[in-house]
Coordinates of all heavy atoms in Angstrom, one line a residue:
M1 N -4.4 16.3 15.9 CA -3.4 16.0 14.9 C -4.0 15.1 13.8 O -3.6 15.2 12.7 CB -2.2 15.3 15.6 CG -1.1 15.0 14.7 SD -0.3 16.5 14.1 CE 1.2 16.5 14.9
N2 N -4.9 14.2 14.2 CA -5.5 13.3 13.2 C -6.3 14.1 12.2 O -6.4 13.7 11.0 CB -6.3 12.2 13.8 CG -5.5 11.2 14.5 OD1 -4.3 11.0 14.2 ND2 -6.0 10.5 15.5
M3 N -7.0 15.1 12.6 CA -7.8 16.0 11.7 C -6.9 16.7 10.7 O -7.3 16.8 9.6 CB -8.7 17.0 12.5 CG -9.8 16.3 13.3 SD -10.9 15.4 12.2 CE -11.7 16.7 11.3
L4 N -5.8 17.2 11.2 CA -4.8 17.8 10.3 C -4.3 16.9 9.3 O -4.2 17.2 8.1 CB -3.6 18.4 11.2 CG -2.5 19.1 10.4 CD1 -3.1 20.3 9.6 CD2 -1.4 19.4 11.3
L5 N -3.9 15.7 9.7 CA -3.5 14.7 8.7 C -4.5 14.3 7.7 O -4.3 14.2 6.5 CB -3.0 13.4 9.5 CG -2.3 12.4 8.7 CD1 -1.1 12.9 8.0 CD2 -1.9 11.2 9.6
L6 N -5.8 14.2 8.2 CA -6.9 13.9 7.3 C -7.1 15.0 6.3 O -7.3 14.8 5.1 CB -8.1 13.6 8.1 CG -9.4 13.3 7.2 CD1 -9.2 12.0 6.5 CD2 -10.6 13.3 8.1
A7 N -7.0 16.3 6.7 CA -7.2 17.4 5.9 C -6.1 17.5 4.8 O -6.3 17.7 3.6 CB -7.2 18.7 6.7
I8 N -4.8 17.2 5.2 CA -3.7 17.2 4.3 C -3.9 16.1 3.2 O -3.7 16.3 2.0 CB -2.4 17.0 5.1 CG1 -2.1 18.3 5.8 CG2 -1.3 16.7 4.1 CD1 -0.9 18.1 6.8
M9 N -4.3 14.9 3.7 CA -4.5 13.8 2.7 C -5.6 14.1 1.7 O -5.5 13.8 0.5 CB -4.8 12.5 3.5 CG -3.6 12.0 4.2 SD -3.9 10.5 5.2 CE -5.5 9.9 4.8
V10 N -6.7 14.7 2.2 CA -7.8 15.1 1.3 C -7.4 16.1 0.3 O -7.7 16.0 -0.9 CB -9.1 15.5 2.1 CG1 -10.1 16.2 1.2 CG2 -9.6 14.4 2.9
V11 N -6.8 17.2 0.7 CA -6.4 18.3 -0.2 C -5.4 17.8 -1.2 O -5.5 18.0 -2.4 CB -5.8 19.4 0.6 CG1 -5.1 20.4 -0.3 CG2 -6.9 20.1 1.4
F12 N -4.4 17.0 -0.8 CA -3.4 16.5 -1.8 C -4.0 15.4 -2.7 O -3.6 15.3 -3.8 CB -2.1 16.1 -1.1 CG -1.2 17.2 -0.7 CD1 -0.9 17.4 0.7 CD2 -0.7 18.0 -1.6 CE1 -0.1 18.4 1.1 CE2 0.2 19.1 -1.2 CZ 0.4 19.3 0.1
G13 N -4.9 14.7 -2.1 CA -5.5 13.6 -3.0 C -6.4 14.2 -4.1 O -6.3 13.8 -5.2
V14 N -7.2 15.3 -3.7 CA -8.0 16.0 -4.8 C -7.0 16.6 -5.8 O -7.3 16.5 -7.0 CB -8.9 17.0 -4.1 CG1 -9.6 17.9 -5.1 CG2 -10.0 16.3 -3.3
A15 N -6.0 17.3 -5.3 CA -5.1 17.9 -6.2 C -4.4 16.9 -7.2 O -4.2 17.1 -8.4 CB -4.0 18.7 -5.5
A16 N -4.0 15.7 -6.6 CA -3.4 14.7 -7.5 C -4.4 14.1 -8.5 O -4.0 13.9 -9.6 CB -2.9 13.6 -6.6
I17 N -5.6 14.0 -8.1 CA -6.6 13.5 -9.1 C -6.8 14.5 -10.2 O -6.9 14.1 -11.4 CB -8.0 13.2 -8.4 CG1 -7.8 11.9 -7.5 CG2 -9.1 13.0 -9.4 CD1 -9.0 11.7 -6.6
L18 N -7.0 15.8 -9.9 CA -7.1 16.8 -10.9 C -5.9 16.9 -11.8 O -6.0 17.1 -13.0 CB -7.4 18.2 -10.2 CG -8.7 18.3 -9.5 CD1 -8.8 19.6 -8.8 CD2 -9.9 18.1 -10.5
T19 N -4.7 16.7 -11.2 CA -3.5 16.7 -12.0 C -3.4 15.6 -12.9 O -3.0 15.7 -14.1 CB -2.3 16.8 -11.1 OG1 -2.4 17.9 -10.2 CG2 -1.0 16.9 -11.9
M20 N -3.8 14.4 -12.5 CA -3.8 13.2 -13.4 C -4.8 13.4 -14.5 O -4.6 12.9 -15.6 CB -4.2 12.0 -12.5 CG -3.1 11.5 -11.6 SD -1.6 11.1 -12.4 CE -2.0 9.7 -13.3
I21 N -5.9 14.0 -14.2 CA -6.9 14.3 -15.3 C -6.3 15.2 -16.4 O -6.4 15.0 -17.6 CB -8.2 14.9 -14.7 CG1 -9.0 13.9 -13.9 CG2 -9.1 15.5 -15.9 CD1 -10.1 14.5 -13.2
R22 N -5.5 16.2 -15.9 CA -4.8 17.1 -16.9 C -3.8 16.3 -17.7 O -3.6 16.6 -18.8 CB -4.2 18.3 -16.1 CG -3.5 19.3 -17.0 CD -4.2 19.7 -18.2 NE -5.4 20.4 -17.9 CZ -6.4 20.6 -18.8 NH1 -6.2 20.3 -20.1 NH2 -7.5 21.2 -18.5
I23 N -3.1 15.4 -17.0 CA -2.0 14.7 -17.7 C -2.7 13.8 -18.8 O -2.2 13.7 -19.9 CB -1.2 13.8 -16.7 CG1 -0.3 14.7 -15.9 CG2 -0.4 12.8 -17.5 CD1 0.4 14.0 -14.8
V24 N -3.8 13.2 -18.5 CA -4.4 12.3 -19.4 C -5.1 13.0 -20.6 O -5.0 12.7 -21.7 CB -5.5 11.4 -18.7 CG1 -6.3 10.6 -19.7 CG2 -4.7 10.4 -17.8
R25 N -5.9 14.1 -20.2 CA -6.7 14.8 -21.2 C -5.9 15.8 -22.0 O -6.2 16.0 -23.2 CB -7.8 15.5 -20.5 CG -8.8 14.6 -20.0 CD -10.0 15.2 -19.5 NE -10.7 16.0 -20.5 CZ -11.6 16.9 -20.3 NH1 -11.9 17.2 -19.0 NH2 -12.2 17.5 -21.2
G26 N -4.9 16.4 -21.4 CA -4.1 17.3 -21.9 C -4.1 18.3 -22.8 O -3.4 18.7 -22.7
P27 N -4.5 19.0 -23.7 CA -4.4 18.7 -25.2 C -3.0 18.7 -25.7 O -2.8 18.1 -26.7 CB -5.3 19.8 -25.8 CG -5.3 20.9 -24.8 CD -5.1 20.3 -23.4
S28 N -2.1 19.5 -25.1 CA -0.7 19.5 -25.7 C 0.3 18.9 -24.8 O 0.0 18.6 -23.6 CB -0.3 21.0 -26.0 OG -0.1 21.7 -24.8
I29 N 1.5 18.7 -25.4 CA 2.5 18.1 -24.6 C 3.0 19.0 -23.5 O 3.4 18.6 -22.4 CB 3.7 17.7 -25.5 CG1 4.7 16.9 -24.7 CG2 4.4 18.9 -26.1 CD1 5.2 15.6 -25.3
L30 N 2.9 20.3 -23.7 CA 3.3 21.3 -22.7 C 2.3 21.2 -21.5 O 2.8 21.4 -20.3 CB 3.4 22.7 -23.2 CG 4.5 22.9 -24.3 CD1 4.4 24.3 -24.8 CD2 5.8 22.7 -23.6
D31 N 1.0 21.1 -21.7 CA 0.1 20.9 -20.6 C 0.4 19.7 -19.8 O 0.3 19.7 -18.6 CB -1.4 20.8 -21.2 CG -1.9 22.1 -21.8 OD1 -1.4 23.1 -21.3 OD2 -2.7 22.0 -22.7
R32 N 0.7 18.6 -20.5 CA 1.1 17.4 -19.8 C 2.4 17.5 -19.0 O 2.5 17.0 -17.9 CB 1.2 16.2 -20.8 CG -0.1 15.8 -21.4 CD 0.0 14.7 -22.3 NE -1.3 14.2 -22.7 CZ -1.9 14.4 -23.8 NH1 -1.3 15.1 -24.8 NH2 -3.1 13.9 -24.1
A33 N 3.3 18.2 -19.6 CA 4.6 18.5 -18.9 C 4.4 19.3 -17.6 O 5.0 19.0 -16.5 CB 5.6 19.1 -19.8
V34 N 3.6 20.3 -17.7 CA 3.3 21.2 -16.5 C 2.6 20.4 -15.5 O 2.9 20.5 -14.3 CB 2.6 22.5 -17.0 CG1 2.0 23.2 -15.7 CG2 3.4 23.4 -17.8
A35 N 1.6 19.6 -15.9 CA 0.9 18.8 -15.0 C 1.8 17.7 -14.3 O 1.6 17.5 -13.1 CB -0.3 18.1 -15.7
S36 N 2.7 17.2 -15.0 CA 3.6 16.2 -14.4 C 4.5 16.9 -13.4 O 4.9 16.3 -12.3 CB 4.4 15.4 -15.4 OG 5.3 16.3 -16.1
D37 N 4.9 18.1 -13.7 CA 5.7 18.9 -12.7 C 4.9 19.2 -11.5 O 5.4 19.1 -10.3 CB 6.2 20.2 -13.3 CG 7.4 20.0 -14.3 OD1 8.0 18.9 -14.2 OD2 7.6 20.9 -15.1
V38 N 3.7 19.5 -11.7 CA 2.8 19.8 -10.5 C 2.6 18.5 -9.7 O 2.6 18.6 -8.4 CB 1.4 20.3 -11.0 CG1 0.4 20.4 -9.9 CG2 1.6 21.7 -11.6
L39 N 2.5 17.4 -10.3 CA 2.3 16.1 -9.6 C 3.6 15.8 -8.8 O 3.5 15.3 -7.7 CB 2.0 15.0 -10.6 CG 1.6 13.6 -9.9 CD1 0.4 13.8 -9.1 CD2 1.4 12.6 -11.0
L40 N 4.7 16.0 -9.4 CA 6.0 15.8 -8.7 C 6.1 16.7 -7.5 O 6.5 16.3 -6.4 CB 7.2 15.9 -9.6 CG 7.5 14.8 -10.5 CD1 8.6 15.1 -11.5 CD2 7.8 13.5 -9.8
T41 N 5.7 18.0 -7.7 CA 5.7 18.9 -6.6 C 4.7 18.5 -5.5 O 5.0 18.6 -4.3 CB 5.3 20.3 -7.1 OG1 6.2 20.7 -8.1 CG2 5.4 21.3 -6.0
E42 N 3.6 18.0 -5.8 CA 2.6 17.5 -4.8 C 3.2 16.3 -4.0 O 3.1 16.2 -2.8 CB 1.3 17.1 -5.5 CG 0.5 18.2 -6.0 CD -0.7 17.7 -6.8 OE1 -1.0 16.5 -6.8 OE2 -1.3 18.6 -7.5
V43 N 3.9 15.4 -4.7 CA 4.5 14.3 -4.0 C 5.6 14.8 -3.1 O 5.7 14.3 -1.9 CB 5.1 13.3 -5.1 CG1 6.0 12.3 -4.4 CG2 4.0 12.6 -5.9
M44 N 6.4 15.8 -3.5 CA 7.4 16.4 -2.6 C 6.7 17.0 -1.4 O 7.3 16.9 -0.3 CB 8.2 17.4 -3.4 CG 9.2 16.8 -4.4 SD 10.1 18.0 -5.4 CE 10.9 18.9 -4.1
C45 N 5.6 17.7 -1.6 CA 4.9 18.3 -0.5 C 4.4 17.3 0.5 O 4.5 17.5 1.7 CB 3.8 19.2 -1.0 SG 4.4 20.7 -1.8
V46 N 3.9 16.2 0.0 CA 3.3 15.1 0.9 C 4.5 14.5 1.7 O 4.4 14.2 2.9 CB 2.6 14.0 0.0 CG1 2.3 12.8 0.8 CG2 1.3 14.6 -0.5
V47 N 5.6 14.2 1.0 CA 6.8 13.6 1.7 C 7.3 14.6 2.8 O 7.6 14.2 3.9 CB 7.9 13.2 0.7 CG1 9.1 12.8 1.4 CG2 7.4 12.1 -0.2
G48 N 7.3 15.9 2.4 CA 7.8 16.9 3.4 C 6.8 17.0 4.5 O 7.3 17.2 5.7
A49 N 5.5 17.0 4.3 CA 4.5 17.1 5.4 C 4.7 15.8 6.3 O 4.6 16.0 7.5 CB 3.1 17.2 4.8
E50 N 4.9 14.7 5.7 CA 5.1 13.5 6.5 C 6.3 13.6 7.4 O 6.3 13.2 8.5 CB 5.2 12.2 5.6 CG 5.2 10.9 6.3 CD 6.6 10.5 6.7 OE1 7.6 10.8 5.9 OE2 6.8 9.8 7.7
M51 N 7.4 14.2 6.8 CA 8.6 14.3 7.6 C 8.3 15.3 8.8 O 8.8 15.1 9.9 CB 9.7 14.8 6.8 CG 10.3 13.8 5.9 SD 11.8 14.2 4.9 CE 11.9 15.9 5.0
A52 N 7.6 16.4 8.5 CA 7.3 17.4 9.5 C 6.4 16.8 10.6 O 6.6 17.1 11.8 CB 6.7 18.6 8.9
I53 N 5.4 16.1 10.2 CA 4.5 15.5 11.2 C 5.1 14.5 12.1 O 5.0 14.5 13.3 CB 3.2 14.9 10.5 CG1 2.4 16.0 9.9 CG2 2.4 14.0 11.4 CD1 1.3 15.6 9.0
N54 N 6.0 13.6 11.5 CA 6.6 12.6 12.3 C 8.0 13.0 12.8 O 8.6 12.3 13.6 CB 6.8 11.3 11.4 CG 5.5 10.7 11.1 OD1 4.6 10.8 11.9 ND2 5.4 10.1 9.9
G55 N 8.5 14.2 12.5 CA 9.7 14.8 13.1 C 11.0 14.0 12.8 O 11.8 13.8 13.6
H56 N 11.1 13.7 11.5 CA 12.4 13.1 11.1 C 12.8 13.7 9.7 O 12.1 14.4 9.1 CB 12.2 11.5 10.9 CG 11.3 11.1 9.8 ND1 11.7 11.0 8.5 CD2 10.0 10.8 9.8 CE1 10.7 10.7 7.8 NE2 9.6 10.5 8.6
T57 N 14.0 13.3 9.3 CA 14.6 13.8 8.1 C 15.1 12.7 7.2 O 16.0 12.9 6.4 CB 15.7 14.8 8.4 OG1 16.7 14.2 9.2 CG2 15.2 16.1 9.1
R58 N 14.6 11.5 7.4 CA 15.1 10.4 6.6 C 14.8 10.4 5.1 O 15.5 9.8 4.3 CB 14.6 9.1 7.2 CG 15.1 8.7 8.6 CD 14.6 7.4 9.0 NE 13.1 7.3 9.0 CZ 12.4 7.4 10.1 NH1 12.9 7.6 11.2 NH2 11.0 7.3 10.0
N59 N 13.8 11.2 4.7 CA 13.4 11.2 3.3 C 14.0 12.3 2.5 O 13.5 12.6 1.4 CB 11.9 11.3 3.3 CG 11.2 10.0 3.8 OD1 11.8 9.0 3.8 ND2 10.0 10.1 4.2
I60 N 14.9 13.1 3.1 CA 15.5 14.2 2.3 C 16.2 13.7 1.0 O 16.0 14.3 0.0 CB 16.5 15.0 3.2 CG1 15.7 15.7 4.2 CG2 17.4 15.9 2.3 CD1 16.5 16.6 5.2
P61 N 16.9 12.5 1.0 CA 17.4 12.1 -0.3 C 16.3 11.8 -1.3 O 16.5 12.0 -2.5 CB 18.2 10.8 0.1 CG 18.5 10.9 1.5 CD 17.4 11.7 2.1
V62 N 15.2 11.3 -0.9 CA 14.1 11.0 -1.8 C 13.6 12.3 -2.4 O 13.3 12.4 -3.6 CB 12.9 10.3 -1.0 CG1 11.7 10.2 -1.9 CG2 13.4 9.0 -0.5
L63 N 13.5 13.4 -1.5 CA 13.1 14.7 -2.0 C 14.1 15.2 -3.1 O 13.6 15.8 -4.1 CB 13.0 15.7 -0.9 CG 11.8 15.5 0.1 CD1 11.9 16.5 1.2 CD2 10.5 15.6 -0.7
L64 N 15.3 15.0 -2.9 CA 16.3 15.5 -3.8 C 16.2 14.8 -5.1 O 16.3 15.4 -6.2 CB 17.7 15.4 -3.2 CG 18.1 16.3 -2.1 CD1 19.4 15.9 -1.5 CD2 18.1 17.7 -2.5
I65 N 16.0 13.5 -5.1 CA 15.9 12.7 -6.3 C 14.6 13.1 -7.1 O 14.6 13.2 -8.3 CB 15.9 11.2 -6.0 CG1 17.3 10.8 -5.5 CG2 15.4 10.4 -7.2 CD1 17.3 9.4 -5.0
I66 N 13.5 13.3 -6.4 CA 12.3 13.7 -7.0 C 12.5 15.1 -7.7 O 12.0 15.3 -8.8 CB 11.1 13.7 -6.0 CG1 10.8 12.3 -5.6 CG2 9.9 14.4 -6.7 CD1 9.8 12.3 -4.5
A67 N 13.1 16.0 -7.0 CA 13.4 17.3 -7.6 C 14.3 17.2 -8.8 O 14.0 17.9 -9.8 CB 14.0 18.2 -6.5
A68 N 15.3 16.4 -8.8 CA 16.2 16.2 -9.9 C 15.4 15.6 -11.1 O 15.6 16.1 -12.3 CB 17.4 15.4 -9.6
V69 N 14.6 14.7 -10.9 CA 13.8 14.1 -12.0 C 12.8 15.1 -12.6 O 12.7 15.2 -13.8 CB 12.9 12.9 -11.4 CG1 11.9 12.5 -12.4 CG2 13.9 11.7 -11.1
G70 N 12.3 16.0 -11.7 CA 11.4 17.0 -12.2 C 12.1 18.0 -13.1 O 11.7 18.4 -14.2
V71 N 13.3 18.5 -12.7 CA 14.1 19.4 -13.4 C 14.5 18.8 -14.7 O 14.4 19.5 -15.8 CB 15.3 19.9 -12.6 CG1 16.3 20.7 -13.4 CG2 14.8 20.8 -11.4
F72 N 15.1 17.6 -14.7 CA 15.6 17.0 -16.0 C 14.4 16.7 -16.9 O 14.6 16.8 -18.1 CB 16.4 15.8 -15.7 CG 17.7 16.1 -15.0 CD1 18.1 15.3 -13.9 CD2 18.5 17.1 -15.4 CE1 19.3 15.6 -13.2 CE2 19.7 17.4 -14.7 CZ 20.1 16.6 -13.7
G73 N 13.3 16.3 -16.4 CA 12.1 16.1 -17.2 C 11.6 17.4 -17.9 O 11.3 17.4 -19.1
S74 N 11.6 18.5 -17.2 CA 11.2 19.7 -17.7 C 12.2 20.2 -18.8 O 11.8 20.7 -19.9 CB 11.1 20.8 -16.7 OG 10.1 20.5 -15.7
I75 N 13.4 20.0 -18.6 CA 14.4 20.4 -19.6 C 14.3 19.6 -20.8 O 14.4 20.1 -21.9 CB 15.9 20.3 -19.0 CG1 16.1 21.4 -17.9 CG2 16.9 20.4 -20.0 CD1 17.3 21.2 -17.1
S76 N 14.1 18.3 -20.6 CA 13.9 17.4 -21.8 C 12.7 17.8 -22.7 O 12.8 17.8 -23.9 CB 13.8 16.0 -21.3 OG 14.9 15.6 -20.6
V77 N 11.6 18.0 -22.0 CA 10.4 18.4 -22.7 C 10.6 19.7 -23.4 O 10.2 19.9 -24.6 CB 9.2 18.4 -21.8 CG1 8.0 19.1 -22.5 CG2 8.8 17.0 -21.4
A78 N 11.2 20.7 -22.8 CA 11.5 22.0 -23.4 C 12.4 21.9 -24.6 O 12.1 22.5 -25.6 CB 12.1 23.0 -22.4
R79 N 13.4 21.1 -24.5 CA 14.3 20.9 -25.7 C 13.6 20.2 -26.8 O 13.7 20.5 -28.0 CB 15.5 20.1 -25.3 CG 16.5 20.9 -24.4 CD 17.7 20.0 -24.1 NE 18.3 19.6 -25.3 CZ 19.6 19.9 -25.6 NH1 20.3 20.5 -24.7 NH2 20.1 19.5 -26.7
F80 N 12.7 19.2 -26.5 CA 12.0 18.5 -27.5 C 11.0 19.4 -28.2 O 10.9 19.4 -29.5 CB 11.2 17.3 -26.9 CG 10.2 16.7 -27.8 CD1 10.7 15.8 -28.8 CD2 8.8 16.9 -27.7 CE1 9.8 15.2 -29.7 CE2 7.9 16.3 -28.5 CZ 8.4 15.5 -29.5
V81 N 10.3 20.3 -27.5 CA 9.3 21.2 -28.1 C 10.1 22.2 -28.9 O 9.7 22.6 -30.0 CB 8.5 21.8 -27.0 CG1 7.6 23.0 -27.5 CG2 7.6 20.8 -26.4
A82 N 11.2 22.7 -28.4 CA 12.0 23.7 -29.1 C 12.5 23.2 -30.4 O 12.5 23.8 -31.5 CB 13.1 24.3 -28.3
R83 N 13.0 21.9 -30.4 CA 13.5 21.3 -31.6 C 12.4 21.0 -32.6 O 12.6 21.2 -33.8 CB 14.2 20.0 -31.3 CG 14.9 19.4 -32.4 CD 15.7 18.2 -32.0 NE 16.8 18.6 -31.1 CZ 17.2 17.8 -30.1 NH1 16.7 16.6 -29.9 NH2 18.1 18.2 -29.2
R84 N 11.2 20.6 -32.1 CA 10.1 20.4 -33.0 C 9.6 21.7 -33.6 O 9.2 21.7 -34.8 CB 9.0 19.7 -32.2 CG 7.8 19.3 -33.1 CD 6.7 18.6 -32.3 NE 6.1 19.6 -31.4 CZ 5.2 19.3 -30.6 NH1 4.7 18.1 -30.5 NH2 4.7 20.3 -29.8
D85 N 9.6 22.8 -32.9 CA 9.2 24.1 -33.4 C 10.2 24.6 -34.5 O 9.8 25.3 -35.4 CB 9.0 25.1 -32.3 CG 7.8 24.8 -31.5 OD1 6.9 24.0 -31.9 OD2 7.7 25.4 -30.4
N86 N 11.4 24.3 -34.3 CA 12.4 24.8 -35.3 C 12.4 24.0 -36.6 O 12.7 24.6 -37.7 CB 13.8 24.7 -34.7 CG 14.1 25.7 -33.7 OD1 13.4 26.7 -33.6 ND2 15.1 25.5 -32.8
T87 N 11.9 22.8 -36.6 CA 11.8 22.0 -37.9 C 10.5 22.2 -38.6 O 10.4 21.8 -39.8 CB 12.0 20.5 -37.6 OG1 10.9 20.1 -36.7 CG2 13.4 20.2 -36.9
A88 N 9.6 23.0 -38.1 CA 8.3 23.2 -38.7 C 8.6 24.2 -39.9 O 9.3 25.2 -39.8 CB 7.3 23.7 -37.8
P89 N 7.9 24.0 -41.0 CA 8.1 24.9 -42.2 C 7.5 26.3 -41.9 O 6.6 26.6 -41.3 CB 7.4 24.2 -43.3 CG 6.5 23.2 -42.7 CD 7.0 22.9 -41.3

């Protein structure tokens, strides 16, 4: 079980580092928005894996809040980009 937990931590840690690099380097706002959605999804997967490994469901409200933040953030960025594209000459 400890090897499984270590493997999960390594895989998600590497994925989070690569995602943070994409958020920082970016070149466009859409790249950063997609990377932030991926990072939120990774956090949700880590919380879900922790719940599965420890056999509890106490973090389900946290998962719902993280999912809502991701959806509303994506909608906000999409509206911002669409509005910016419409005002261009």
Side-chain angles (χ1 to χ4, degrees):
M1 187 62 109
N2 289 336
M3 290 302 292
L4 177 64
L5 188 59
L6 180 64
I8 290 171
M9 287 178 10
V10 167
V11 168
F12 281 119
V14 169
I17 290 170
L18 293 174
T19 303
M20 290 300 293
I21 291 170
R22 177 52 58 193
I23 289 173
V24 171
R25 290 186 63 196
S28 71
I29 187 132
L30 293 177
D31 290 331
R32 289 181 172 105
V34 169
S36 66
D37 285 342
V38 169
L39 188 61
L40 284 175
T41 303
E42 290 173 11
V43 169
M44 289 176 59
C45 289
V46 168
V47 171
E50 186 272 329
M51 286 184 350
I53 289 170
N54 292 328
H56 66 84
T57 58
R58 291 186 302 262
N59 292 337
I60 289 178
V62 174
L63 289 175
L64 291 173
I65 291 170
I66 292 171
V69 167
V71 168
F72 293 134
S74 296
I75 291 171
S76 299
V77 169
R79 287 181 61 124
F80 172 75
V81 169
R83 189 173 298 144
R84 188 179 66 180
D85 288 345
N86 287 339
T87 60

